[in-house]
Structures are given as C-alpha cells and as structure tokens.
Amino acid sequence: MVCKTIYIGSNPIETSNFPLSINPLLITLNFVNLKVKFFKPIVFLLSTVLISFIAKPDISNFSKVSTTTYSEQIASILYANCTGCHHTGGIAPMSLMNYQEAYNNRNIVQGAVLSGDMPPWPPDTNYSRFRHERILSAQEISLIDNWVNTGASQGDSTVAPPAPNYNLTNSDLGQPDLTLSAPVYTSNAFIDDDYVCFTIPSQLIANKKIRAVEVSPGNLGIVHHCLVYIDPTGNSSIGITNNCMGPSNGVLVGEFAPGSLPITYPGDNNMAFGMEFPANSNVILAMHYPYGSLGMIDSTKVHFYFYPDQLNLFREITIEPIIQDFGFCVPPNQTKTVNASYQFPISSPPLSMFGVFPHMHLIGKTINTYGLSLSGDTTKFVNVPNWDFEWQGAYHFRKMKKISPGTTIKASAYYDNTSANLHNPNTPPQTICAGFNTTDEMFVIYYLYTPYMTGDENLNLDSLTQSGLTTIRNQNKISLNIFPNPINQLFTVQSDWRFKDIAKIELYNINGQLIFYENYSSNDLKPFKKSFDVSKISSIKKSNVYLLRIYNKQSEVQYAKLITN
C-alpha cells in the first residue's frame, strides 16, 4: 500500500492510498459515542419502567422452576455472558461479580435482557452463526425474568459456581510469548480526536506464527481504539508519529475496541490457523484517543502468543476490505441504501472464508453481505439488522465457507439521516458523506480468508484444540482429566464442572471429524465423572490420537487428548 497525506482543515492526516487501499477502521470510535455508553444504564432503567410495553421473547415453552435462585441458575448465566465486561475495572458501568452486585442491579439486568440490549450481539443468528456468540437462550432469559419477579433470592451459596478471575494488570490469556509496550503518551485530543502511531521494534530473531493477539490498554478511559499492524520489512521509523491513522506498509493482525476480546485462532498440532510474524519486523500500534482526553496519559501494551515452530500444517489468514464505498452522501432528513459488489476472477483459486468484519458509523442502521456463485448458489456471511456503533468486531464462522472462482461478493447498507435516528450526530440533521471522521459515514467490510483445502466447509473449527501448544491458560482455571490415558478399553472422564452444568460430550478424530457424542440433562450437583467403554464406540481405532471436548450449558468448552494403545 502507498502512504499519502490528506488534509482535513489545516491538519495533515496520514493514511493509506485512498480509496482502494485505505485503512477505514482506523477511525471507529470517538468521545461522542463514549458519552452515549454512559447513558446506557439509564436506557436500561427506563426499559424496566416500560417493561410492560416491550415485546418479550417467546419463553412460554420453558416452564419456570418453582424457585429460581442466584446460586443455582443465575450466577452461571452472568459469569458466562455478562461479567467479561461487568467486573471491577471492566468497561461496563457496574459489576455483576457476586450476589449482592447482581441483586442491587437486578432490575437493570432484567430490562436489558428482555429488551435484547444485553448481552450485545449484533449479527442475526437466523442468517449465519459464528464462534463465541454472546447470546442468551430463551430459557436463560426466562430464568432471569423469573428470578427478579420472584424476589431475586440467593439460594444456597455453597452450590454457586466459582466466580471467574479477570486479570486487571496482566494478560487474560496467560504468559505471553512476546509483549511490546508503547511509550508513555499524553493525549493531545482537545477539540479534535488524537490519532497517533507508535512504531516498536519486535527484536524477533526468527520467524514466528501468531496464534493469539491481545491488546492491553494502559488507560481504558481514553483508549477508544487500537489497531495492531506488523511491518514485515522493518523499515518503518521507530518512535511516535502524530496525525497518523495507520502505516502504509503494514499487515493488520489485531485490534481493540470497547467490548472486544483477544483475537485467538483455532489450531492443534495437525492444523493451525493464524498469521505470520517475520523476524526483524516492526509492530505499529495505531491509537485513537477521543476528544476531551487532553492531558490524560496512556501506555498500551500488546501481547503475542505463538505456535510451536514445528507444525504439520499452518494456514495463514488474510484480512482485506474487499467491499468499500467512499463515494456516497446522505442528505438531511433522508434515508439511503448503498450497494456494492466485487467479483473474484474466474481464474482465481477457490478460497475458504474464515470470517467477516462489517463497519459503519453513527447513522448506519443495517448491513448485510453474502456471496453469489456462478451457478446461482448463495452463501450467507453476515446480516446486522440493528447496527450498534459501540459493538462491532470480527466474526469468525463456526465452519468456513467455500468461495468458488467467479463468485460475486454482494453487500448492502442502509443509513438513516433523520431526526428519528437517536444516534444522528447532528441536530438538526445535516448532509453526511463517506469520510474519515466518526461523524462522517463508512461502508466497509473486511473479509478473513485462506486458500481452500478439500473438506474445509465441513471442518468444525472448534474441534481444533489449542491446549498444549503454548501457555495460554483457561481463564476460569478449570481442569478436565481422562484416566487411564493411553487407554485400552475402559476410561473415565472427570471434570470439576458440576454434572448439572454439562450439556454434551464430543469425541473427534485427528481429521476433525465427530465420531461420538452424548447429550446430558441432569440435576446432579456433584462434579462430572463418567466411564466409557471403547468397544462401544465403533470408530475408535488402536494407536490413534483423539480430541475429547466437553461443553457446559453456557457453551464453554474443556479439551483433552485421548490416546489409544
């Protein structure tokens, strides 16, 4: 990409070549929207006052237990879906880490889940499904509603699950393989936002393969966005570059925005997905500090986790803004639909679509994208029916989607520049055109893909365990044991999850094929422990390695390898 400088007013702003190779995600979140976030609890409180006027989910098929308690039902739901943000030091306005905190905020929680505001998950799950979805089932919503309506009792505290441990000072993923720190920086954002790039030498002496990237802001109150790039040439100037919205020769490998999680790729010793980190590369942190943060100090860190140097098969992910349109305007008091498309050449090789990252600004309302093959087959990528500027990110498919040569990528976005749009940055409405400022608009969709291999569309990405490859720890420090292991005929699976919390158990061969599963529904409060007979699992062969996965009812997963003699 070629770097160029554009001017907004008298201020030079460095960006990549416009419009074909721009980095449109560099301007994503600003202090205007930060202030909106502070008002969300008020919205939730209003929703509880007006709860009788809100269309509730259809939960009639789920019978309410006679007494729903925090310890037996609610704590596990909050820990799995809410406390990642709602903990002391988190980005959310209140903590929900214990019974007293949940009780004190019970009406806010009830209103938020009944209205669908929380947990935030913009994609339409009837259109496409993704890994790590933040959604509540109708039964979970019913339990929360019933708990509040019946007095929000604590119940027997001895049966409550242990609270997750959120690391406020170090990495949530465990000991990183490489940590790079930006210099201590004082924000210059007074009237305008402050965009600055920190270029840091990696000092790597050998090529590495990235399996996870985690951004750790030094000051959560003012870091509204950070994009992590690698300059594989190592030629970029070390130090601080002001009025910088990203490098001209960088490869995007990570990002941070409020509510986002560390980027982790699936992989095991047989097949691993990720990105290359060449030796002697520089790392560039493209920071966005919102206006109003003048004089505040930050020093953000980025943690890298690597695969072992020797892997049987490493598959690199490419991230590109295949869809983008910077030639539209929306007049005041009008709405507008913008369409875009891109056709892959017929001579191009087939691809496997790994994920998608849609992006708009404040007056965006809906965005949709899909693929249309030459034979007329439609491949759905993502549909966001109610765009929320504060909650956006990269969505990874549960199974990759094959993109045949000649496929056309189609996308559509809808914008509402009327006074009825509560997110409109202008009162009264003014003409808004595509541009770089948050109060401008964008229509950009990043696509994550890799060259196609036979069987990709059937590969369950979650079946690729990451245990044993690096020191990434399970945040809740939960153990899963198989004994004896290696096994001959009988073996026992033991977890410190309670039997009542277990949803299912699955067994995969080394090709990622599911060969055995069992579903569970139990009220037993004891830790899960169950024995199995190899002779009754016909697909198990001698002298092979298998992956055993156990799911709880919050869709969390434990992994363990099973070896047969």
Side-chain angles (χ1 to χ4, degrees):
M1 295 186 291
V2 178
C3 183
K4 68 180 297 184
T5 300
I6 64 171
Y7 285 81
I8 299 178
S10 59
N11 299 319
I13 296 189
E14 187 176 331
T15 183
S16 56
N17 193 28
F18 177 88
L20 295 180
S21 301
I22 65 162
N23 291 318
L25 289 177
L26 293 174
I27 307 181
T28 56
L29 302 165
N30 74 353
F31 196 67
V32 172
N33 221 49
L34 183 63
K35 290 186 287 187
V36 173
K37 184 178 292 291
F38 294 153
F39 286 104
K40 282 202 167 185
I42 299 175
V43 175
F44 298 162
L45 284 171
L46 289 174
S47 69
T48 63
V49 174
L50 302 175
I51 204 70
S52 60
F53 301 102
I54 296 175
K56 298 185 180 182
D58 181 9
I59 56 179
S60 58
N61 292 330
F62 297 101
S63 59
K64 296 181 176 66
V65 295
S66 57
T67 303
T68 305
T69 70
Y70 172 84
S71 298
E72 290 212 36
Q73 290 93 9
I74 303 304
S76 59
I77 298 174
L78 298 182
Y79 291 160
N81 299 282
C82 307
T83 58
C85 296
H86 290 274
H87 63 266
T88 301
I91 66 169
M94 73 279 192
S95 176
L96 299 172
M97 287 293 294
N98 55 51
Y99 169 70
Q100 193 61 53
E101 291 174 343
Y103 179 84
N104 291 344
N105 295 287
R106 63 193 183 281
N107 292 321
I108 294 177
V109 172
Q110 181 188 45
V113 300
L114 288 176
S115 65
D117 287 325
M118 290 287 153
W121 184 252
D124 178 3
T125 55
N126 292 319
Y127 191 83
S128 54
R129 301 304 297 267
F130 300 95
R131 303 172 63 222
H132 311 306
E133 290 176 337
R134 296 188 302 265
I135 56 177
L136 294 180
S137 68
Q139 185 175 22
E140 289 171 323
I141 295 172
S142 176
L143 286 170
I144 292 174
D145 189 32
N146 186 54
W147 177 63
V148 175
N149 290 340
T150 57
S153 65
Q154 181 177 12
D156 183 358
S157 62
T158 63
V159 302
N165 178 30
Y166 298 105
N167 195 327
L168 303 181
T169 57
N170 298 304
S171 169
D172 278 333
L173 298 180
Q175 183 64 37
D177 296 300
L178 174 67
T179 295
L180 299 175
S181 300
V184 176
Y185 180 78
T186 302
S187 171
N188 294 314
F190 179 50
I191 298 177
D192 298 315
D193 291 4
D194 187 9
Y195 297 93
V196 59
C197 294
F198 303 116
T199 302
I200 310 163
S202 70
Q203 298 183 337
L204 285 180
I205 60 175
N207 297 336
K208 295 294 181 181
K209 295 176 176 62
I210 298 173
R211 64 166 296 199
V213 180
E214 180 183 22
V215 176
S216 178
N219 186 342
L220 274 171
I222 67 171
V223 176
H224 227 304
H225 206 110
C226 171
L227 295 178
V228 182
Y229 293 85
I230 288 177
D231 170 16
T233 69
N235 294 329
S236 47
S237 299
I238 304 301
I240 301 175
T241 304
N242 293 104
N243 295 326
C244 172
M245 294 158 48
S248 60
N249 56 348
V251 178
L252 181 64
V253 298
E255 59 86 24
F256 168 83
S260 62
L261 298 172
I263 294 178
T264 59
Y265 292 103
D268 60 18
N269 287 310
N270 297 292
M271 181 186 296
F273 294 86
M275 304 190 77
E276 296 281 0
F277 197 147
N280 301 310
S281 296
N282 290 337
V283 172
I284 298 99
L285 304 184
M287 308 295 300
H288 176 182
Y289 299 106
Y291 76 85
S293 62
L294 176 69
M296 298 183 183
I297 296 174
D298 173 57
S299 178
T300 288
K301 297 179 181 179
V302 58
H303 306 292
F304 292 95
Y305 299 82
F306 302 137
Y307 285 107
D309 292 334
Q310 300 301 319
L311 292 171
N312 291 337
L313 177 61
F314 180 71
R315 303 185 62 184
E316 185 167 16
I317 299 296
T318 299
I319 307 175
E320 285 189 347
I322 295 174
I323 292 293
Q324 52 183 320
D325 186 337
F326 280 81
F328 68 92
C329 293
V330 186
N333 299 308
Q334 293 188 26
T335 62
K336 187 179 185 70
T337 298
V338 181
N339 299 303
S341 64
Y342 172 82
Q343 184 177 21
F344 288 101
I346 297 178
S347 59
S348 66
L351 302 173
S352 290
M353 197 66 73
F354 183 87
V356 62
F357 190 164
H359 179 64
M360 298 191 294
H361 282 182
L362 297 174
I363 67 167
K365 300 297 288 185
T366 69
I367 190 166
N368 171 280
T369 179
Y370 61 93
L372 186 64
S373 71
L374 293 176
S375 62
D377 293 329
T378 297
T379 301
K380 297 177 180 179
F381 298 139
V382 69
N383 179 50
V384 180
N386 296 291
W387 176 259
D388 188 338
F389 181 63
E390 294 179 13
W391 293 102
Q392 50 185 305
Y395 306 114
H396 296 177
F397 299 116
R398 291 180 175 178
K399 294 183 179 180
M400 291 182 288
K401 300 176 181 290
K402 182 180 180 181
I403 306 300
S404 303
T407 292
T408 298
I409 303 295
K410 292 181 173 288
S412 178
Y414 176 72
Y415 301 89
D416 181 355
N417 191 15
T418 70
S419 57
N421 183 356
L422 298 180
H423 299 290
N424 198 319
N426 302 311
T427 304
Q430 302 175 17
T431 297
I432 295 178
C433 297
F436 293 96
N437 294 319
T438 305
T439 51
D440 297 330
E441 258 310 327
M442 283 191 177
F443 178 24
V444 179
I445 305 178
Y446 277 75
Y447 297 82
L448 294 74
Y449 61 87
T450 189
Y452 175 78
M453 291 181 60
T454 302
D456 273 358
E457 62 270 50
N458 298 318
L459 177 64
N460 184 339
L461 294 175
D462 281 334
S463 71
L464 300 176
T465 177
Q466 295 186 0
S467 61
L469 293 183
T470 68
T471 58
I472 293 182
R473 66 170 178 262
N474 185 299
Q475 188 167 289
N476 294 323
K477 301 179 181 179
I478 297 171
S479 61
L480 175 66
N481 296 314
I482 300 175
F483 57 90
N485 198 12
I487 66 174
N488 291 309
Q489 182 171 344
L490 297 177
F491 67 95
T492 299
V493 177
Q494 185 175 22
S495 168
D496 57 1
W497 281 342
R498 298 176 300 181
F499 210 120
K500 72 179 291 290
D501 296 326
I502 303 299
K504 62 181 176 179
I505 191 169
E506 296 179 338
L507 189 66
Y508 293 85
N509 62 22
I510 60 174
N511 296 319
Q513 297 172 320
L514 178 66
I515 63 172
F516 173 80
Y517 73 93
E518 278 188 353
N519 296 319
Y520 298 101
S521 178
S522 170
N523 294 319
D524 192 341
L525 298 176
K526 296 178 181 178
F528 179 85
K529 184 177 181 180
K530 182 170 177 142
S531 296
F532 296 87
D533 187 340
V534 171
S535 65
K536 295 181 180 180
I537 306 175
S538 59
S539 298
I540 287 188
K541 309 299 181 185
K542 293 183 178 181
S543 302
N544 273 281
V545 178
Y546 298 88
L547 169 67
L548 187 140
R549 307 183 69 207
I550 184 170
Y551 294 78
N552 67 16
K553 292 175 182 176
Q554 282 70 51
S555 297
E556 296 173 323
V557 185
Q558 295 176 349
Y559 304 94
K561 289 184 179 180
L562 185 152
I563 304 171
T564 57
N565 282 325

